[in-house]
Amino acid sequence: FPVTIRSSGGGGGTAVLVPISTARGYFTGATTTAPANKKIKGIVITDRTTANTDPKNLAIQDSSAGIVVRFSAAHSFNLGDEVEVIISGQEVTEYAGLLEINNVPLSNATVTGSGTIAPRITDIGQINANFELWESTLVQVTNTTITGTGTTYSGARTITDPTGTMTLYTRSAATFSGLSFPTTPVTITGVLVPFNATKQICIRSTADVQ
C-alpha cells in the first residue's frame, strides 16, 4: 500500500514497494541511482551483534531475492527484523563484486515487524552455479567439511561437499573468529557474499555450524 514519504535521497512522493529482485535489476553493470518513489522491504539475515559483517552493511531478503543496504553510518537493525528502506535516488553499485544500495541515510529505514527466512537447502555445486542470482541470500549446505591453514574460523577457510568447494569467510573482528572450527562433517547455514571472483559464505555465529 503506497505511503507518502519525504526522504533526503529521493524527495517527496508516494513510495511504491518493489521486490528486492527489481531493485537488484536497477544495476546493469555500472553505478546508477534507483528511480524516484521506490522502497524495498525484507527480513534481516545478518547479525550485527557478532560483527561478521561491516557495521554499516545490512543484508535483507524477501521472497524474490536478497540485497545489501549500506548505510551512511553504523546501523542498529537486528537479525530477524523486518525493515523497509526508501531507496529513491540512492546509489546502486557494486563493491568488490557485492551489489549494494549505497550510502543510505539511517532515516530512510524503518522496522515494520519481524520474521524469519528459511535458508535455501542446497549444495556447493548449485551455489557456485547460481551464485550471482543467490547473492545476499541465506543458504544451507549439508555433509560439509571445513579445512584451511590454522584451526580457527578467522579469515578464509575452504568448505567441501561431494559437489564442490567454496570459501567460508570470517572477519577477524567477528566475536567468534578465534574459536576452533569442527573437523568432522557439518551442516553450514550462511549468507552468500562475493569478494571479487571469490564465492564466499559467511555464517552469523557458530550456531550456523551444526
Side-chain angles (χ1 to χ4, degrees):
F1 186 82
V3 297
T4 300
I5 57 95
R6 283 179 173 78
S7 158
S8 60
T14 302
V16 176
L17 182 67
V18 298
I20 289 176
S21 59
T22 297
R24 291 187 64 87
Y26 297 147
F27 183 80
T28 57
T31 298
T32 186
T33 55
N37 304 325
K38 296 292 187 289
K39 63 182 179 180
I40 56 175
K41 182 165 64 176
I43 304 297
V44 177
I45 58 170
T46 44
D47 188 350
R48 66 180 180 85
T49 67
T50 57
N52 199 26
T53 188
D54 187 288
K56 294 181 181 180
N57 286 10
L58 183 74
I60 60 173
Q61 184 176 346
D62 67 8
S63 60
S64 72
I67 200 166
V68 166
V69 178
R70 180 169 175 81
F71 293 102
S72 55
H75 69 82
S76 59
F77 301 109
N78 294 316
L79 178 66
D81 283 347
E82 181 186 65
V83 178
E84 188 173 270
V85 186
I86 304 298
I87 62 171
S88 309
Q90 299 300 309
E91 183 179 85
V92 185
T93 190
E94 278 190 349
Y95 176 78
L98 176 65
L99 184 62
E100 301 177 335
I101 309 294
N102 191 37
N103 203 33
V104 178
L106 289 170
S107 59
N108 279 31
T110 307
V111 175
T112 55
S114 63
T116 58
I117 293 291
R120 183 193 307 270
I121 299 172
T122 186
D123 57 47
I124 293 174
Q126 287 296 309
I127 290 171
N128 286 334
N130 295 281
F131 195 87
E132 187 170 355
L133 182 64
W134 294 354
E135 176 187 307
S136 298
T137 68
L138 197 63
V139 300
Q140 184 177 91
V141 292
T142 60
N143 191 26
T144 302
T145 304
I146 307 172
T147 57
T149 303
T151 60
T152 67
Y153 284 100
S154 185
R157 301 290 177 254
T158 298
I159 61 171
T160 305
D161 75 1
T163 69
T165 64
M166 64 180 301
T167 297
L168 171 69
Y169 181 75
T170 302
R171 300 173 78 228
S172 60
T175 57
F176 55 87
S177 66
L179 299 181
S180 297
F181 58 77
T183 56
T184 54
V186 290
T187 294
I188 296 175
T189 303
V191 181
L192 298 181
V193 181
F195 181 71
N196 296 320
T198 303
K199 297 177 174 68
Q200 301 181 148
I201 186 170
C202 295
I203 61 174
R204 289 81 54 84
S205 71
T206 54
D208 280 338
V209 180
Q210 298 181 347

